[in-house]
Amino acid sequence: MAKKNPNLPTENAQFTPPNASGKRKVLVEVRVSKGQSFGNLEGLAQALNLGPLTVDPNYIPVPMTPANNEFAARLEAANEETVIISGTVNEYDLQALEENPSVIKVWSDAIIEPFGAPTAEAETEEETTPQVVPMEAFGTCPIPPCDCDPRTPKGSMADVRRYLGVDQLHTRGIRGNGVVVGVLDSGITAAGRTLKPSERPTSLIPNVIGGWPADWGTESSDWGYHGNMCATDVLGMAPDARIYDLRISDSGSSTGSVGAALQAFQWAINQYRANGTPQVLTNSWGMFQEGWFADYTRNPEHPFTRKVVEAINAGILVLFAAGNCGGTCPDGRCGSENGPGKSIWGANGHPFVMTVGAVNSLGQFIGYSSQGPAALDPFKPDFCSISHFTGYFASDSGTSAATPIAAGVVALLKQAKPRLTQFEAKAALKETARNIGPAGWDQHSGSGIINGLEAYNLIMRAAPTPQTPRVGVQFRGNLEPRQTMCWFTFNWPAHWHIYWYGMPITPGTKISWKVQVERATEQYITYWICVTNLSDRATTFEGRYAVLS
């Protein structure tokens, strides 16, 4: 079904491979005056002297939060802000473009692909069920027995609901009412919308109420109706939820990019700030190899990854598929990069997101489900959800199917507790997951298989019993105006998933903080912590931690 993508690199690449004209597609982070109009992007490029860059006039500039506080202060003093624009540039002009004083950084507009199991091409309505072939197992199964046959469903949507305890939530009236889930994918053929002529879906998707771009709800075939599958799976768990169609694959091709996803996330953030929706975003796509786009896969400062964090900080609950490069029977697109530590890339493995692996409804680990540690967090995946069941297709497969199932469960929790945060949702699902691997968290299945009913019971308890250690103060100190202080903290147990937060003690002052993993072993982690006083007077500050699981 899904068309082959001719733009994927065959070897390590820093930027999107050149097109037929020899140019590369890039995202350019530039400094602009606050409040500057972007009506004429070509004129903006000329004003900033971005000569080598051919600007995409249809790409709406995306405002960015500066990567660090020192740079943010410099921008504020100059009455400037930063935005992302898109375009193409010859490879030999990249260095000159980056040396432009208005340019902060040139990033790859990395190509992305869905995490559904490989399918044969199909163009007609009769052929839209994926023609999936069993994957050949060649690696050791970490949690036997492993399921490597995505073609054969191991149950129905009703079986998935029963397995996760969702059917019992439905009997209590918890069906996703009032919750909107944004599906970032190939698009959705929505009931009530006029489809594009080439679209031949097996069915139309109900409950789709809006989206991005303006022609939302009119197509889904670019990734083989993958978006229809994801929307169906969300509604299978949360039938009264509503859906936003956020299409991130280019119309008429199989190509998606993080540049499109960046715009979709910005649309979702703007919408959320306007009316509180979408409350949940589900993402069943990503990178199959680190070397495809090296400046994205391991760099948390890539603008897309920063935008994902911005969405979470705004209050949106965000889930990403772990990927299909597990070592037992990896997708062929993974190449040699499969198995533990070589299969979860970029934002899919950011510490803040919920990273979803896959099992079937028999409780069997799916052998291609990507394994941690992720590039950006050693403690991934977070948990597993269900795949290989009859849903939109005869067998909805991949971590692609597991993720919207989990997103539907999160939508139920959000209905039950409207103030539920990202970290509360993640902690509840992890703490109530059914362990299938080694005791506790493991790099294959995370904390185990989610249980919607038990997670609901946990978040609805008036006063959950705290576990020890649960919270604590790690550091206290004093900072002069605009001063930054950094240090290491050693010997934190590797099985702890920690949420750090800092607070000023001096009234009227403000601080910022940043925590990153400096190094890790199987037993211990060392963190590097930086705290900056953003105020014009001295402050006393305190840094605290909470052990999520």
Side-chain angles (χ1 to χ4, degrees), residues 195-208:
L195 304 189
K196 294 181 178 179
S198 61
E199 297 297 305
R200 292 175 175 82
T202 54
S203 61
L204 302 180
I205 307 302
N207 295 10
V208 185

Side-chain angles (χ1 to χ4, degrees), residues 40-51 53 55 85 100 102:
N40 182 350
L41 289 180
E42 289 92 343
L44 173 65
Q46 291 177 1
L48 298 177
N49 195 27
L50 305 179
L53 181 71
V55 176
I85 59 177
N100 185 304
S102 296

Side-chain angles (χ1 to χ4, degrees), residues 377-463:
D377 184 356
F379 302 111
K380 293 291 182 176
D382 290 303
F383 44 70
C384 285
S385 177
I386 309 300
S387 188
H388 294 185
F389 58 90
T390 300
Y392 182 79
F393 299 120
S395 182
D396 288 4
S397 60
T399 53
S400 277
T403 303
I405 289 292
V409 172
V410 169
L412 300 179
L413 301 181
K414 188 68 172 176
Q415 177 195 343
K417 186 177 180 181
R419 292 178 179 267
L420 186 73
T421 69
Q422 175 85 0
F423 301 104
E424 289 172 338
K426 182 194 289 192
L429 290 169
K430 286 169 67 71
E431 290 179 17
T432 58
R434 182 168 69 86
N435 201 354
I436 61 169
W441 177 90
D442 66 82
Q443 65 190 43
H444 315 295
S445 65
S447 295
I449 307 171
I450 61 172
N451 185 308
L453 177 62
E454 291 303 319
Y456 167 84
N457 289 336
L458 178 61
I459 67 169
M460 298 307 290
R461 290 174 192 162

Side-chain angles (χ1 to χ4, degrees), residues 224-246:
Y225 299 97
H226 189 266
N228 278 4
M229 180 194 76
C230 292
T232 298
D233 294 346
V234 170
L235 295 174
M237 299 299 103
D240 290 348
R242 297 296 181 261
I243 301 292
Y244 282 150
D245 170 21
L246 305 177

